[in-house]
PDB file of all heavy atoms in Angstrom:
ATOM      1  N   SER A  14     120.655 119.491  95.564  1.00  0.00           N
ATOM      2  CA  SER A  14     120.947 118.095  95.242  1.00  0.00           C
ATOM      3  C   SER A  14     121.125 117.978  93.727  1.00  0.00           C
ATOM      4  O   SER A  14     120.263 118.413  92.961  1.00  0.00           O
ATOM      5  CB  SER A  14     119.811 117.188  95.722  1.00  0.00           C
ATOM      6  OG  SER A  14     120.068 115.843  95.377  1.00  0.00           O
ATOM      7  N   VAL A  15     122.242 117.381  93.315  1.00  0.00           N
ATOM      8  CA  VAL A  15     122.601 117.363  91.895  1.00  0.00           C
ATOM      9  C   VAL A  15     122.713 115.924  91.400  1.00  0.00           C
ATOM     10  O   VAL A  15     123.443 115.114  91.978  1.00  0.00           O
ATOM     11  CB  VAL A  15     123.946 118.087  91.662  1.00  0.00           C
ATOM     12  CG1 VAL A  15     124.279 118.116  90.171  1.00  0.00           C
ATOM     13  CG2 VAL A  15     123.900 119.507  92.224  1.00  0.00           C
ATOM     14  N   HIS A  16     121.970 115.631  90.333  1.00  0.00           N
ATOM     15  CA  HIS A  16     122.080 114.321  89.694  1.00  0.00           C
ATOM     16  C   HIS A  16     122.016 114.505  88.181  1.00  0.00           C
ATOM     17  O   HIS A  16     120.946 114.740  87.607  1.00  0.00           O
ATOM     18  CB  HIS A  16     120.969 113.377  90.148  1.00  0.00           C
ATOM     19  CG  HIS A  16     121.011 112.024  89.475  1.00  0.00           C
ATOM     20  ND1 HIS A  16     121.986 111.083  89.763  1.00  0.00           N
ATOM     21  CD2 HIS A  16     120.226 111.479  88.510  1.00  0.00           C
ATOM     22  CE1 HIS A  16     121.786 110.014  89.016  1.00  0.00           C
ATOM     23  NE2 HIS A  16     120.733 110.234  88.244  1.00  0.00           N
ATOM     24  N   ASN A  17     123.183 114.475  87.527  1.00  0.00           N
ATOM     25  CA  ASN A  17     123.275 114.515  86.065  1.00  0.00           C
ATOM     26  C   ASN A  17     122.576 115.724  85.449  1.00  0.00           C
ATOM     27  O   ASN A  17     121.765 115.593  84.538  1.00  0.00           O
ATOM     28  CB  ASN A  17     122.712 113.227  85.466  1.00  0.00           C
ATOM     29  CG  ASN A  17     123.559 112.015  85.796  1.00  0.00           C
ATOM     30  OD1 ASN A  17     124.708 112.144  86.221  1.00  0.00           O
ATOM     31  ND2 ASN A  17     123.003 110.830  85.615  1.00  0.00           N
ATOM     32  N   THR A  18     122.899 116.903  85.952  1.00  0.00           N
ATOM     33  CA  THR A  18     122.336 118.140  85.379  1.00  0.00           C
ATOM     34  C   THR A  18     123.453 119.098  84.983  1.00  0.00           C
ATOM     35  O   THR A  18     123.329 120.315  85.137  1.00  0.00           O
ATOM     36  CB  THR A  18     121.386 118.827  86.372  1.00  0.00           C
ATOM     37  OG1 THR A  18     122.034 118.908  87.654  1.00  0.00           O
ATOM     38  CG2 THR A  18     120.082 118.071  86.502  1.00  0.00           C
ATOM     39  N   ALA A  19     124.555 118.559  84.481  1.00  0.00           N
ATOM     40  CA  ALA A  19     125.719 119.381  84.152  1.00  0.00           C
ATOM     41  C   ALA A  19     125.397 120.483  83.154  1.00  0.00           C
ATOM     42  O   ALA A  19     125.960 121.580  83.222  1.00  0.00           O
ATOM     43  CB  ALA A  19     126.836 118.487  83.608  1.00  0.00           C
ATOM     44  N   HIS A  20     124.498 120.213  82.215  1.00  0.00           N
ATOM     45  CA  HIS A  20     124.205 121.180  81.166  1.00  0.00           C
ATOM     46  C   HIS A  20     123.446 122.395  81.691  1.00  0.00           C
ATOM     47  O   HIS A  20     123.414 123.437  81.037  1.00  0.00           O
ATOM     48  CB  HIS A  20     123.420 120.515  80.036  1.00  0.00           C
ATOM     49  CG  HIS A  20     122.141 119.857  80.449  1.00  0.00           C
ATOM     50  ND1 HIS A  20     122.072 118.927  81.460  1.00  0.00           N
ATOM     51  CD2 HIS A  20     120.868 120.010  79.993  1.00  0.00           C
ATOM     52  CE1 HIS A  20     120.830 118.524  81.606  1.00  0.00           C
ATOM     53  NE2 HIS A  20     120.079 119.170  80.738  1.00  0.00           N
ATOM     54  N   LEU A  21     122.838 122.294  82.882  1.00  0.00           N
ATOM     55  CA  LEU A  21     122.073 123.410  83.436  1.00  0.00           C
ATOM     56  C   LEU A  21     122.653 123.924  84.762  1.00  0.00           C
ATOM     57  O   LEU A  21     122.282 125.007  85.215  1.00  0.00           O
ATOM     58  CB  LEU A  21     120.618 122.988  83.665  1.00  0.00           C
ATOM     59  CG  LEU A  21     119.821 122.647  82.412  1.00  0.00           C
ATOM     60  CD1 LEU A  21     118.464 122.058  82.784  1.00  0.00           C
ATOM     61  CD2 LEU A  21     119.634 123.872  81.537  1.00  0.00           C
ATOM     62  N   LEU A  22     123.541 123.156  85.353  1.00  0.00           N
ATOM     63  CA  LEU A  22     124.059 123.495  86.672  1.00  0.00           C
ATOM     64  C   LEU A  22     124.740 124.860  86.743  1.00  0.00           C
ATOM     65  O   LEU A  22     124.522 125.600  87.727  1.00  0.00           O
ATOM     66  CB  LEU A  22     125.008 122.388  87.135  1.00  0.00           C
ATOM     67  CG  LEU A  22     125.544 122.486  88.563  1.00  0.00           C
ATOM     68  CD1 LEU A  22     124.394 122.546  89.561  1.00  0.00           C
ATOM     69  CD2 LEU A  22     126.457 121.296  88.864  1.00  0.00           C
ATOM     70  N   PRO A  23     125.570 125.266  85.771  1.00  0.00           N
ATOM     71  CA  PRO A  23     126.219 126.586  85.887  1.00  0.00           C
ATOM     72  C   PRO A  23     125.221 127.738  86.020  1.00  0.00           C
ATOM     73  O   PRO A  23     125.468 128.682  86.782  1.00  0.00           O
ATOM     74  CB  PRO A  23     127.023 126.693  84.581  1.00  0.00           C
ATOM     75  CG  PRO A  23     127.341 125.270  84.229  1.00  0.00           C
ATOM     76  CD  PRO A  23     126.093 124.504  84.614  1.00  0.00           C
ATOM     77  N   ARG A  24     124.124 127.679  85.299  1.00  0.00           N
ATOM     78  CA  ARG A  24     123.124 128.739  85.418  1.00  0.00           C
ATOM     79  C   ARG A  24     122.583 128.820  86.838  1.00  0.00           C
ATOM     80  O   ARG A  24     122.419 129.906  87.405  1.00  0.00           O
ATOM     81  CB  ARG A  24     121.969 128.502  84.434  1.00  0.00           C
ATOM     82  CG  ARG A  24     120.871 129.547  84.487  1.00  0.00           C
ATOM     83  CD  ARG A  24     119.735 129.214  83.545  1.00  0.00           C
ATOM     84  NE  ARG A  24     119.055 127.982  83.914  1.00  0.00           N
ATOM     85  CZ  ARG A  24     118.059 127.432  83.206  1.00  0.00           C
ATOM     86  NH1 ARG A  24     117.665 128.009  82.084  1.00  0.00           N
ATOM     87  NH2 ARG A  24     117.488 126.305  83.616  1.00  0.00           N
ATOM     88  N   CYS A  25     122.317 127.671  87.436  1.00  0.00           N
ATOM     89  CA  CYS A  25     121.828 127.612  88.805  1.00  0.00           C
ATOM     90  C   CYS A  25     122.849 128.192  89.777  1.00  0.00           C
ATOM     91  O   CYS A  25     122.530 129.040  90.618  1.00  0.00           O
ATOM     92  CB  CYS A  25     121.505 126.160  89.163  1.00  0.00           C
ATOM     93  SG  CYS A  25     121.116 125.874  90.902  1.00  0.00           S
TER      94      CYS A  25
END
Side-chain angles (χ1 to χ4, degrees):
S14 178
V15 182
H16 178 72
N17 293 344
T18 48
H20 57 307
L21 295 172
L22 186 57
R24 180 183 64 183
C25 171

